[in-house]
Amino acid sequence: MLPTRRQFVSATCGAAALGCTSLGWRTAFGAPAVLASPATRAEVPRFDLGIASGHPQTDSVVLWTRLTGDDLPDQVEVRWEVAHDEAFRRIAARGTETAQASWAHSVHAEPRGLQPGRWYWYRFQALGDRSMAGRTRTAPSAVAATGAADPLRFAIASCQRYESGHYAAWRDVAEQSLDLVMFLGDYIYESASRPGGPRHHDGGVARTLADYRARYATYKRDAHLQAAHASAPWLMVWDDHEVENDYAGLQSQHLDADFTTRRAAAYQAYWEHLPFPKAARPRLGVRGATMPITGRLDWGTLARIHLLDNRQYRDPQACPRAGRGGSNTVALQDCPALHDPRRSLLGAEQERWLASGWDLRRPWNLVAQQTLMARHAWSDPSAAAGVGATYWTDGWDGYAASRNRLLGTVAARQAPGVVVLGGDVHAHVVADLKADFDRPDAPTVATEFCGSSIASSGLPQDRIDASRPFNPHIHWSRSDQRGCMLFTLDAKQLQAALRVVDDVNDPASAVRTATSFMVDAQKPGAVAT
């Protein structure tokens, strides 16, 4: 049976603990997931970074952990178990994985033969220590007698800069009994800690594999993040800060000559610390190390989820500042490259893959990607036939032809229920998407929900407010609030709750719904509720 959210949070963090330590997560095999007594704890903690699950299929799911401790041998056998119940009395699957030093002693187990559309509990054991128990589930089958069209409850989140704030938003996610969590980029930040924040991490700018591994370890020791990972399976895409701010393909913001090596290290650390399948492990190729994160997941008869990568295959940003790569904010009239139809945010191959894969039978197509897709002009786009408008070049506005192709295909194929999900901009944004933003009367073909950051700070709200008259298709835009978005999806409508943290400097902060929206499966566009 699925526990209540109070039971789950009490079991993992302790009923009275708001900032529980990782020592409170370990539990013995054969016992419920309750706080372990000091006598059952291993002398050296082996699961200090928590556990996670992800990429659920109808008969399998990826289970993740990474062993810790300075005395680890090169290879360690790690046992895992999947159970029908939280007491682990009815075992559904079990096995052993070999954690290797060359891959940071990470474990990516992929149990098979699970039943579609149901919940499971899982845990690990190695070197005399036992992990906490996590909760996960499989995707429903489109041909299942029951559950194929049950409502889907999920969250989107992004941008969790460690030193910018605490993770009360993750505590809120862990309490929601969700089916899925979609993380849409900037899991870590590669830069050094900024002074004056509510907390601090060691190390300067991450450049080497050891640097990236240490940064992930810092983030993953946060108890609220661990609770969110343990509460439901995750789907993940990256953005730029998992490697370097504003990188594009094999070009760094600072035009570093050795960027290929740095990117390879960052990609390896990303895979090592998140519940991706073994098939996604980075591999060497003509473009250096690559990691395939593009993919699809069908959720019963309800929705198809498209996972996109807008970093690895993109063309470099147009009109960068002199002597560097990366983003810029430029006037359309001063940057002819913004008109170039050959430029792509996704790359030609990924564009073709997406265009051919829209689901025309299920009521919903959810697009999990990294940034704001809706046009966001910073000055009046109607002035002088549009040449007076200014745009930020790192997002979809820097690749307008690529966006037009994507949304044009949605319109031409009449793809049902297209909802684009994003992050990156550190603001809650709700918008209508059009195949032609230059025509105010153009029909809405899709809906967008771009979630604010878990902790990273946003632009001044008065700048956002000043741009609102230039963007009438945007219904909501708040950059002064941290948090995530919660969704409930059924065959007829999507309901969205924009959750905000009262005080990002307080790990015990209250979290509330700032506003809510609805989307009808038969009519694209967001409606305030």
Side-chain angles (χ1 to χ4, degrees):
M1 294 180 61
L2 180 65
T4 66
R5 65 184 184 183
R6 183 180 298 276
Q7 289 170 333
F8 182 76
V9 174
S10 175
T12 52
C13 283
L18 289 171
C20 57
T21 67
S22 56
L23 287 176
W25 296 83
R26 280 180 288 281
T27 182
F29 268 66
V34 296
L35 287 174
S37 67
T40 66
R41 294 173 182 160
E43 183 177 347
V44 178
R46 300 303 185 184
F47 299 99
D48 232 14
L49 305 186
I51 62 176
S53 68
H55 285 256
Q57 306 296 314
T58 57
D59 65 345
S60 68
V61 67
V62 178
L63 308 179
W64 172 92
T65 193
R66 176 191 161 191
L67 300 181
T68 53
D70 295 333
D71 59 341
L72 291 171
D74 285 344
Q75 296 189 357
V76 181
E77 296 301 298
V78 182
R79 291 173 52 200
W80 55 265
E81 286 187 324
V82 177
H84 292 282
D85 62 305
E86 62 177 304
F88 285 81
R89 295 188 181 96
R90 295 177 56 223
I91 301 300
R94 56 164 51 102
T96 302
E97 294 287 328
T98 301
Q100 299 177 328
S102 56
W103 294 98
H105 292 99
S106 61
V107 175
H108 299 72
E110 300 178 53
R112 303 289 180 180
L114 304 180
Q115 299 173 12
R118 70 148 296 152
W119 286 93
Y120 291 94
W121 291 79
Y122 67 98
R123 60 190 177 186
F124 300 89
Q125 182 180 25
L127 299 175
D129 200 9
R130 303 166 179 90
S131 76
M132 62 168 291
R135 188 181 66 168
T136 191
R137 64 161 298 162
T138 51
S141 170
V143 297
T146 60
D150 286 347
L152 167 63
R153 297 193 68 239
F154 67 96
I156 64 170
S158 61
C159 304
Q160 53 180 5
R161 186 166 187 150
Y162 183 85
E163 75 272 21
S164 293
H166 289 281
Y167 291 169
W170 281 132
R171 188 195 72 241
D172 183 51
V173 166
E175 293 173 350
Q176 297 296 329
S177 296
L178 301 172
D179 297 300
L180 278 176
V181 175
M182 300 187 198
F183 193 85
L184 304 180
D186 294 345
Y187 192 95
I188 63 164
Y189 279 67
E190 82 290 1
S191 50
S193 265
R194 292 173 176 172
R199 52 185 179 173
H200 177 85
H201 65 70
D202 293 332
V205 176
R207 297 185 181 279
T208 67
L209 180 57
D211 294 339
Y212 286 109
R213 285 173 171 172
R215 190 64 47 83
Y216 277 99
T218 296
Y219 279 57
K220 295 190 77 69
R221 285 191 172 95
D222 182 276
H224 295 323
L225 176 58
Q226 288 191 6
H229 269 298
S231 69
W234 284 36
L235 297 175
M236 297 142 295
V237 294
W238 53 33
D239 195 23
D240 52 345
H241 287 290
E242 288 89 352
V243 182
E244 183 204 47
N245 180 57
D246 281 3
Y247 87 93
L250 291 173
Q251 178 176 292
S252 78
Q253 181 182 34
H254 301 289
L255 306 179
D256 297 331
D258 62 343
F259 182 69
T260 301
T261 301
R262 182 182 180 186
R263 195 185 81 161
Y267 282 11
Q268 177 170 340
Y270 182 76
W271 182 84
E272 290 172 344
H273 290 85
L274 291 169
F276 280 94
K278 295 183 180 72
R281 185 162 60 184
R283 59 184 70 95
L284 289 175
V286 295
R287 291 176 56 86
T290 61
M291 179 176 167
I293 68 168
T294 303
R296 288 192 179 98
L297 169 64
D298 289 337
W299 195 265
T301 61
L302 189 62
R304 173 166 289 179
I305 303 170
H306 311 260
L307 300 165
L308 305 186
D309 179 350
N310 72 13
R311 282 292 163 191
Q312 191 169 192
Y313 312 114
R314 69 157 65 190
D315 292 306
Q317 297 88 342
C319 305
R321 295 178 178 89
R324 62 185 300 173
S327 69
N328 200 358
T329 300
V330 297
L332 191 60
Q333 61 186 350
D334 297 331
C335 187
L338 290 177
H339 298 285
D340 188 346
R342 296 169 297 179
R343 300 183 65 254
S344 176
L345 188 68
L346 302 178
E349 183 178 351
Q350 190 176 197
E351 280 195 21
R352 289 191 294 268
W353 172 87
L354 180 61
S356 65
W358 295 111
D359 194 315
L360 306 183
R361 296 179 297 111
R362 292 174 176 84
W364 298 99
N365 283 270
L366 306 181
V367 183
Q369 52 90 56
Q370 292 83 352
T371 191
L372 182 69
M373 184 174 287
R375 186 168 78 174
H376 189 280
W378 288 104
S379 58
D380 189 353
S382 65
V387 296
T390 54
Y391 298 102
W392 180 54
T393 62
D394 190 58
W396 284 96
D397 282 331
Y399 304 80
S402 187
R403 176 179 60 201
N404 292 347
R405 287 191 291 271
L406 189 160
L407 295 174
T409 301
V410 168
R413 299 200 65 193
Q414 298 182 339
V418 175
V419 177
V420 175
L421 307 167
D424 182 36
V425 297
H426 306 173
H428 276 325
V429 182
V430 180
D432 296 339
L433 296 177
K434 300 174 181 291
D436 186 355
F437 282 104
D438 289 325
R439 287 178 47 217
D441 61 341
T444 297
V445 300
T447 314
E448 178 167 27
F449 292 91
C450 190
S452 187
S453 58
I454 291 291
S456 309
S457 57
L459 293 172
Q461 183 61 35
D462 58 0
R463 284 193 61 193
I464 302 296
D465 293 339
S467 70
R468 290 298 301 276
F470 314 136
N471 302 286
H473 50 281
I474 294 180
H475 299 288
W476 183 272
S477 187
R478 290 291 297 270
S479 61
D480 58 344
Q481 296 173 330
R482 313 279 67 83
C484 66
M485 290 189 182
L486 303 180
F487 299 87
T488 300
L489 185 73
D490 62 29
K492 294 183 177 180
Q493 66 178 17
L494 176 146
Q495 299 173 354
L498 280 59
R499 301 286 283 175
V500 299
V501 176
D502 284 345
D503 183 2
V504 74
N505 295 320
D506 180 7
S509 173
V511 184
R512 57 186 172 83
T513 296
T515 189
S516 57
F517 286 84
M518 183 275 291
V519 181
D520 190 303
Q522 301 298 318
K523 185 179 180 180
V527 177
T529 58

